[in-house]
Amino acid sequence: MNDASPAERYARARERKETERAFPETAAFAAAQRFELDPFQIAGCRALEEGRSVLVAAPTGAGKTIVGEFAIHLAMMEPGDKAFYTTPMKALSNQKFRELQAVYGADEVGLLTGDTNINGNARIVVMTTEVLRNMLYADSPALRGLRFVVMDEVHYLADRFRGAVWEEVIIHLPASVRLVSLSATVSNAEEFGDWLDTVRGDTAVIVSETRPVPLEQHVLVRGDLLPLFDDRAGVATAQVNQELLRLRSLKGQAFERNRDAQRASSARHSGGDGQRRPHRGGRRAVRPSTSARLERIDRPEVVSLLGRSNLLPAIFFIFSRVGCDAAVQQVRRSGIRLTTPEERREIREIVEERTRTLLEEDLAVLGFWEWRENLERGVAAHHAGLLPAFKEVVEELFQRKLVKAVFATETLALGINMPARTVVLEKLEKFNGEARVAITSGEYTQLTGRAGRRGIDVEGHAVIQWTEAMDPQSVAALASRRTYPLNSSFRPTYNMAVNLIDQFGRGRAREILESSFAQFQADRAVVGLARRVKEEEESLAGYLAAMSCDRGDFPEYADIRRQLSELEKLNRRDVTAGRATRDARLREIDALRRRMQRHACHRCPDRESHARWGERYAKLKRSVDKTRRQIETRTGTVARVFDRVVDVLAALDYVAVDDGGATTLTPAGRTMRRIYGERDLLIAEALRRGLWRQMDAPSLAALACCLVYEPRRDDNGPGERGLPRGAFRVAFEKTTELWANLDDLERDHHLPGSEPPAPGLATAMHAWVRGAMLDRVLADADMAAGDFVRWAKQTIDLLDQLSLVAEPDVATTARRALESVRRGIVAHSTV
């Protein structure tokens, strides 16, 4: 750049000024930022200034949200224009709400998350994606003037349970709304962008794989940080550090011989200030080897090591809540204190302010005092079992650099802004609900993406703890690969079906569903499958020519040989068959053998050569037939599922289908339009049959909880004797019987059915609504406070729907139940 001639520098400056004149709003917005914008951010802003929609796919922490904030900036420049900012999680919505309030003021920013409604008519509204979906189906007046919708973490549309909501929003937004889709780095961003271009119009696809802060990868072995990659080779080659490979090969006494060398090496690699440095070279003269069993370093020692190496703050990802809490206790017992007296005073002030509305009698139940002391030491856990208020405090303190070490489950890697200098992975496998499985390269990228704070750190650090089972080559491949495909999880639901039919009619509804990303991907797959069939058919023709025989019909002869061979194998394997069966099989074998021997091709001198081609032909023919069946099942898959859903609705009289096929909603169908969630059909049918009319508020809340609660795999529930008695018991039994009938009906129509209502939390919810103390309720629930709050808020969401759609008596009870659930820790919010 410095070697450019004056003329070249002048030409570049002139080009830059012309570009700024072409995109004045982007230039002004960029100039107002604290950091110089990266090329991908500028490209995204310019696309919006041109009036296009945009998909931005970039690594965690790269600054994708800048493009979304620019869309809000553009909306606020025009009087009357609005911008919605959607997120997949309430915690992320709360965080974004606070950030935007700081920029635009409290009057201009609202928040809608289902259980929170703040300034919902503001020009900027932050909301969960489900709230926007519901607004679209209800044709809410709040949509008027909407110019931009930012969909943060849009790769959530791959989520098995909630992903369909993202596609519903993208499909149903008015054509005039520009969409800003922000995604983690995915390997098929262009495919997703092509679909957005198809359903939303002109969409710019901007992909960046560059981390703003470089990531150094280490393996922690017995108190030493070894580089994962050989510095001389570079990460791009995935050339693993040879020293890690040697560690696996050294055994027993080699460890003892190297112990003194390890200590000497440690001393050499400590700086003059006593601060230990992570080793950056590709090789070292001597290293501690593995013994028959190389012990793992204790967590307090790891925290101390990172502190000495100036690698705090750090997030330790532990794929277990129990493990997170245990880690904090281990650090606490070790006596480690990572904070100064001034920091401890500031921590206490923040904690007191954020938790002052919690009831005094609940603090001991929540372990408040020990939790606060751990925070004052600079250490915390972060997982779904924590009370939401506690999690938010941990997040705030970490962002303020007051908490230095957080032990977290993987949920922390999703969305919320908690960058660290270092990320530590104790294991590279997790329990997926059924078995322990290795984490994927996409998960590894998401987790380590938290390492490195832009504007603070020169580089981020990922530390993997050595285990005996570790294969350095596999770890290197995991860390260097960037494959994270985005696959649709879209499927039509009953609520979706009635809303689509009501707005567009059945024919147009089918067309809309066929425009989903799920069908787009299926159709693209069909194109690839069809291409494969064509190529394989050409190969079949070649095999057929190679096996042709001038003596006769060789394919016919090959077919007889194949039948004979398969029958002989079956006869040898099936030793349990009865005598009559075996005799019949032997007669058939003899008949086939005689047919083969009499066939003209049997006497061909090139018979075996032809036969080899025949075997290849038969194998490839089976593959072609299988591929053709795949094509048949994929084409129109989403619309076919929709038809089955409508058939179930018609059987239950939620829709009426006339002789010409025209489909309209019945009164029951109009009620279902406003019932959202996994249990939409069961809830609508229970209301229509009046199964819940006799219940009081505690019973209705307990039953609503049964419909939202998803038990753990090892949760067997309280058993019939442990359930609340009276009206609840009667209603629950009738609701469960109704579920069984609906499940049979769904399976008769080739739909997957659903899980039965889960009463595991019913007793605790019933007691809570009746005013029981927190300690008793958590004991009944046998769960952490954060889990109880999460299920309580989902219960509130369902009760709120019932209060709007049920008959007056049930609606009144639902409103009383809702208010009774929303108390104490459930009502507490720091927003």
Side-chain angles (χ1 to χ4, degrees), residues 191 517-533 627 630-631 634-635:
E191 178 189 42
F517 187 45
Q519 191 58 57
F520 185 83
Q521 288 191 305
D523 290 343
R524 285 217 165 179
V526 165
V527 171
L529 291 171
R531 186 183 303 117
R532 192 204 307 172
V533 165
T627 305
Q630 283 182 278
I631 291 173
R634 290 192 181 207
T635 305

Side-chain angles (χ1 to χ4, degrees), residues 524-583:
R524 285 217 165 179
V526 165
V527 171
L529 291 171
R531 186 183 303 117
R532 192 204 307 172
V533 165
K534 183 178 179 182
E535 293 169 354
E536 289 178 344
E537 283 177 338
E538 291 174 358
S539 298
L540 282 175
Y543 293 169
L544 200 57
M547 63 191 277
S548 63
C549 178
D550 58 3
R551 302 289 182 96
D553 185 349
F554 201 90
E556 180 184 68
Y557 175 74
D559 188 54
I560 295 171
R561 280 178 58 134
R562 186 168 54 257
Q563 289 182 54
L564 177 60
S565 174
E566 290 173 356
L567 203 56
E568 287 175 336
K569 287 179 183 175
L570 176 61
N571 199 46
R572 286 195 298 270
R573 287 198 305 267
D574 189 8
V575 295
T576 61
R579 183 178 183 83
T581 301
R582 292 180 65 83
D583 287 346

Side-chain angles (χ1 to χ4, degrees), residues 438-450:
I439 64 173
T440 66
S441 57
E443 288 168 332
Y444 183 91
T445 302
Q446 191 85 2
L447 294 167
T448 57
R450 290 283 160 209

Side-chain angles (χ1 to χ4, degrees), residues 602-680:
H602 189 65
R603 292 179 293 278
C604 175
D606 297 322
R607 181 186 68 197
E608 293 309 311
S609 175
H610 295 332
R612 283 192 292 274
W613 286 108
E615 289 167 5
R616 294 173 190 170
Y617 178 90
K619 184 177 180 181
L620 186 58
K621 182 70 164 57
R622 287 194 295 271
S623 172
V624 170
D625 291 343
K626 181 179 178 182
T627 305
R628 284 203 182 103
R629 288 194 296 273
Q630 283 182 278
I631 291 173
E632 290 169 4
T633 56
R634 290 192 181 207
T635 305
T637 49
V638 177
R640 275 206 302 277
V641 173
F642 172 73
D643 287 338
R644 294 169 191 161
V645 166
V646 174
D647 288 344
V648 170
L649 291 170
L652 295 169
D653 197 35
Y654 286 89
V655 299
V657 184
D658 65 19
D659 294 338
T663 306
T664 56
L665 300 190
T666 65
R670 284 191 285 277
T671 298
M672 184 182 280
R673 284 185 313 141
R674 301 168 70 187
I675 299 174
Y676 303 98
E678 291 288 312
R679 305 282 193 184
D680 48 9

Side-chain angles (χ1 to χ4, degrees), residues 133 493 495 675-681 683 801:
R133 186 271 311 273
T493 64
N495 170 271
I675 299 174
Y676 303 98
E678 291 288 312
R679 305 282 193 184
D680 48 9
L681 181 62
I683 293 164
Q801 292 181 44

Side-chain angles (χ1 to χ4, degrees), residues 325-345:
D325 292 334
V328 172
Q329 293 307 315
Q330 289 167 16
V331 174
R332 173 194 176 92
R333 286 195 298 270
S334 73
I336 288 177
R337 195 181 293 277
L338 304 172
T339 53
T340 64
E342 293 77 17
E343 289 173 329
R344 289 195 284 278
R345 278 195 298 273

